[in-house]
């Protein structure tokens, strides 16, 4: 079995992005472009993935971690020079090396695998990934010989009228016989206007030496686009969003309006889930069957159980059980757990709290640093007062408790099983099980005082 290697070109700064963030680190659907490329290469089970870094080298290394080895291109002297930096790791190895740009986030493992297979089946020294587009302006044209092999690649500025009419273009992704690649790179010169060493010059060297150069043409032009500026970045974002949404829909997910739905590539969604318009689902989120997300909800790094409905709400880094109702306009902050059958209603905020089976916090409440038991009812406007200005404290509400409206629970405090807390109370001592706790000022009515007050106003 032939050995396969990959070189990812990720050394450029990307001046046209006009950003302090290095080009390949700009995100598409929440993941840096270079991460998308390496993810697809990893799926091919290669012997090595080598990323050529330069600008932002440490940030790129931090992003990719153990998924790649790295070589440094201290000066950006062209694509050929960039590939040559991998020579110490690959020079004498037999096999096939694919070269991919780190700013092509839409390339798929299927296309890359087909390129590998085509390269091997044709016994070529060089294979070029090509595609056909209606307007090839600005791209290098693929000129084929009578046998259908690649005779040369002609850049736009060097093409004559006949060559300019060619619609097949070079995508900048290649497969090479590895030993031929590095031997040929030693013959590449920088005798050009830019004074750089170009990787496509290897094709001319192969032709001169009578070696076979072939093209593998993909039907999907959009998959091959490179991102060089913010306009192309937005285009890549849109295309990947469409691809991800289509994959989910084909796997049994209903997305009511795919154009208005954002699902990151790391999200897992079960069958018969419904995603309403305006929803944003990101991170390592997993959604169980028959759940309904949205409309207009933001989910990040959550586990969401079956038959749960989250509408017009924000839920981050939390675990949500089955048959849970959240929203509208609720905010579930990180490290919260809502167990099966919980209801969290409009304008409720939950932070770093556990709410057990069947409990309800229906509206206008704050539950922070709290442990809420089963079948608890938290009335409108109730607050767990968890912060004294310097430290956070916990509130414990045991099973079957009824918390009246507009109650302040000043932590640390425990409300015992089956207790009742009267509306308007401020509780700063533990409440025993089955007790009724009332903590509010005595009401006093001053007869006819309103008449005196109104005279004073006049």
């Amino acid at each position: 079995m032939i050995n396969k290697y990959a070189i990812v070109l990720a050394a450029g700064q990307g001046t046209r992005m006009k950003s302090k963030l290095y080009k390949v680190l700009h995100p598409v659907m929440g993941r840096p472009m270079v991460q998308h490329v390496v993810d697809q290469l990893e799926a091919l089970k290669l012997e090595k993935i080598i990323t050529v870094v330069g600008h932002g080298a440490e940030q790129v290394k931090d992003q990719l971690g153990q998924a790649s080895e790295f070589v440094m291109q201290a000066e950006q002297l062209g694509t050929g020079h960039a590939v040559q930096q991998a020579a110490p790791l690959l020079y004498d190895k037999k096999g096939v090396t694919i070269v991919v740009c780190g700013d092509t986030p839409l390339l798929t493992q299927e296309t890359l695998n087909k390129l590998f297979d085509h390269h091997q089946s044709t016994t070529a020294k060089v294979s070029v990934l090509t595609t056909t587009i209606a307007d090839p302006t600005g791209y290098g044209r693929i000129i084929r010989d009578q046998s259908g092999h690649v005779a040369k690649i002609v850049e736009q500025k060097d093409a004559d009228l006949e060559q300019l009419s060619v619609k097949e273009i070079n995508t900048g992704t290649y497969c090479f016989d590895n030993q031929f690649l590095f031997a040929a790179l030693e013959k590449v010169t920088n005798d050009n206007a830019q004074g750089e060493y170009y990787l496509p010059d290897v094709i001319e060297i192969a032709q001169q030496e009578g070696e076979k150069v072939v093209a593998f043409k993909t039907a999907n032009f959009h998959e091959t686009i490179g991102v060089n500026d913010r306009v192309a970045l937005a285009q890549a974002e849109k295309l990947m969003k469409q691809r991800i949404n289509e994959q989910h829909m084909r796997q049994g997910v209903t997305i009511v309006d795919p154009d208005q739905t954002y699902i990151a590539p790391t999200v897992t969604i079960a069958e018969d889930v419904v995603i309403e318009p305006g929803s944003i689902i990101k991170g390592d989120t997993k959604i169980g069957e028959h759940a309904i997300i949205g409309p207009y909800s933001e989910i990040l790094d959550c586990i969401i159980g079956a038959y749960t409905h989250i509408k017009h709400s924000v839920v981050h880094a939390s675990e949500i059980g089955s048959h849970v109702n959240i929203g509208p306009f609720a905010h579930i902050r990180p490290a919260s757990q809502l167990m099966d059958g919980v209801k969290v209603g409009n304008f409720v905020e939950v932070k770093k709290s556990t709410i057990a089976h069947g409990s309800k916090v229906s509206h206008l409440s704050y539950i922070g640093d709290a442990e809420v038991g089963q079948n608890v009812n938290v009335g409108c406007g109730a607050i767990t007062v968890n912060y004294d200005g310097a430290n956070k404290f916990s509130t414990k509400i045991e099973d079957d408790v009824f918390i009246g409206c507009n109650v302040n629970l000043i932590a640390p405090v425990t409300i015992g099983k089956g207790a009742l807390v009267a509306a308007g109370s401020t509780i700063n001592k533990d409440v025993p099980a089955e007790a009724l706790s009332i903590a509010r000022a005595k009401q006093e009515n001053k007869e006819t005082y309103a008449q005196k007050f109104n005279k004073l106003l006049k």
Side-chain angles (χ1 to χ4, degrees):
M1 185 174 180
I2 193 166
N3 290 329
K4 299 177 182 178
Y5 310 95
I7 298 174
V8 181
L9 305 183
Q13 185 173 16
T15 54
R16 280 183 282 174
M17 298 296 288
K18 299 189 183 301
S19 173
K20 293 181 176 64
L21 182 65
Y22 301 103
K23 180 171 73 167
V24 298
L25 293 176
H26 278 268
V28 174
M29 294 300 289
R31 289 172 75 75
M33 290 191 285
V34 70
Q35 185 70 64
H36 284 291
V37 173
V38 171
D39 287 347
Q40 297 303 309
L41 290 170
E42 276 193 295
L44 302 179
K45 307 299 183 184
L46 308 177
E47 298 297 317
K48 284 181 182 290
I49 299 174
I50 299 167
T51 302
V52 183
V53 295
H55 291 287
E58 292 308 313
Q59 293 95 318
V60 175
K61 289 179 182 179
D62 288 345
Q63 173 62 41
L64 297 179
Q66 299 300 313
S68 175
E69 298 178 52
F70 302 94
V71 294
M72 173 66 74
Q73 186 187 23
E75 292 182 271
Q76 277 67 63
L77 300 178
T79 51
H81 178 259
V83 172
Q84 205 163 24
Q85 306 314 299
L89 298 177
L90 291 179
Y91 183 86
D92 60 347
K93 296 187 180 299
K94 292 183 178 181
V96 177
T97 293
I98 189 169
V99 178
V100 188
C101 295
D103 62 359
T104 53
L106 296 169
L107 277 173
T108 64
Q109 67 180 82
E110 291 81 9
T111 295
L112 296 174
N113 205 37
K114 287 177 181 178
L115 175 60
F116 267 128
D117 291 344
H118 185 73
H119 179 82
Q120 290 178 243
S121 66
T122 57
T123 66
K125 292 295 184 183
V126 183
S127 297
V128 185
L129 181 65
T130 71
T131 191
T132 301
I133 58 175
D135 181 8
T137 302
Y139 291 94
R141 307 304 205 277
I142 300 297
I143 309 301
R144 295 180 182 252
D145 60 23
Q146 291 182 344
S147 64
H149 298 154
V150 176
K152 55 183 174 179
I153 299 175
V154 181
E155 296 302 321
Q156 169 88 22
K157 62 182 182 299
D158 300 321
D160 59 31
L161 287 177
E162 183 179 356
Q163 292 165 340
L164 287 173
S165 68
V166 174
K167 305 296 186 184
E168 186 178 9
I169 63 163
N170 176 24
T171 67
T173 298
Y174 309 89
C175 262
F176 298 95
D177 175 272
N178 186 70
Q179 291 179 325
F180 169 79
L181 169 62
F182 288 100
L185 283 172
E186 293 180 348
K187 303 171 186 177
V188 172
T189 71
N190 64 344
D191 185 18
N192 52 61
Q194 282 71 36
E196 295 185 350
Y197 300 87
Y198 293 131
L199 184 59
D201 288 354
V202 171
I203 293 172
E204 185 176 348
I205 293 169
Q207 296 284 3
Q208 292 169 355
E209 296 181 1
E211 301 290 359
K212 187 188 294 185
V213 179
V214 301
F216 173 73
K217 183 163 64 174
T218 176
N220 188 351
F221 159 68
H222 291 135
E223 188 176 321
T224 68
I225 65 171
V227 175
N228 291 313
D229 58 25
R230 305 293 182 125
V231 175
L233 184 69
Q235 183 184 13
E237 181 95 2
K238 181 178 180 180
L239 291 167
M240 186 167 285
K241 180 181 75 170
Q242 291 172 344
R243 177 193 295 174
I244 292 168
N245 289 351
E246 182 175 324
Q247 288 172 346
H248 284 297
M249 289 187 286
R250 293 192 184 282
Q251 292 169 2
V253 177
T254 295
I255 301 178
V256 176
D257 187 350
D259 290 337
Q260 299 298 321
T261 301
Y262 180 110
I263 304 172
T266 48
V267 172
T268 303
I269 306 178
E271 292 181 0
D272 293 315
V273 169
V274 176
I275 311 296
E276 299 279 2
S279 295
I280 300 171
I281 308 171
K282 300 186 291 186
D284 188 20
T285 293
K286 296 176 176 59
I287 303 175
E289 62 183 17
H290 294 283
I292 302 173
I293 306 299
Y296 300 101
S297 292
E298 179 184 308
I299 314 295
L300 172 66
D301 291 330
C302 289
I303 297 174
I304 297 170
Y307 295 92
T308 284
H309 190 180
I310 301 172
K311 50 187 177 293
H312 291 281
S313 296
V314 175
V315 186
H316 284 185
S318 295
E319 183 174 347
I320 312 300
S322 300
H323 297 276
V324 173
N325 278 283
I326 298 175
F329 312 115
H331 187 184
I332 311 301
R333 291 169 57 189
S336 295
Q337 182 180 17
L338 310 187
M339 296 183 183
D340 296 348
V342 165
K343 178 183 178 183
V344 172
N346 51 296
F347 303 105
V348 172
E349 181 176 351
V350 180
K351 173 255 178 186
K352 201 177 180 180
S353 297
T354 299
I355 303 179
H357 306 272
S359 291
K360 298 178 180 180
V361 187
S362 294
H363 31 230
L364 297 161
S365 295
Y366 172 70
I367 305 297
D369 297 288
E371 181 183 338
V372 180
Q374 300 183 51
N375 301 314
V376 170
N377 185 85
V378 178
C380 176
I383 295 172
T384 60
V385 185
N386 59 333
Y387 185 50
D388 66 359
N391 299 294
K392 298 289 179 68
F393 299 94
S394 298
T395 298
K396 184 175 182 180
I397 304 173
E398 296 182 350
D399 297 347
D400 304 314
V401 167
F402 184 94
I403 305 292
C405 294
N406 202 34
V407 165
N408 296 312
L409 302 175
I410 302 179
V413 70
T414 297
I415 312 300
K417 178 179 171 61
L420 306 174
V421 179
S425 295
T426 295
I427 304 298
N428 58 7
K429 297 178 181 178
D430 291 350
V431 178
E434 305 294 337
L436 168 64
S437 183
I438 304 173
R440 56 195 183 204
K442 181 180 178 181
Q443 181 173 331
E444 181 180 348
N445 296 330
K446 295 188 176 182
E447 300 290 341
T448 70
Y449 183 84
Q451 297 176 7
K452 297 177 182 179
F453 180 73
N454 290 331
K455 287 181 180 178
L456 290 173
L457 290 179
K458 293 178 181 179

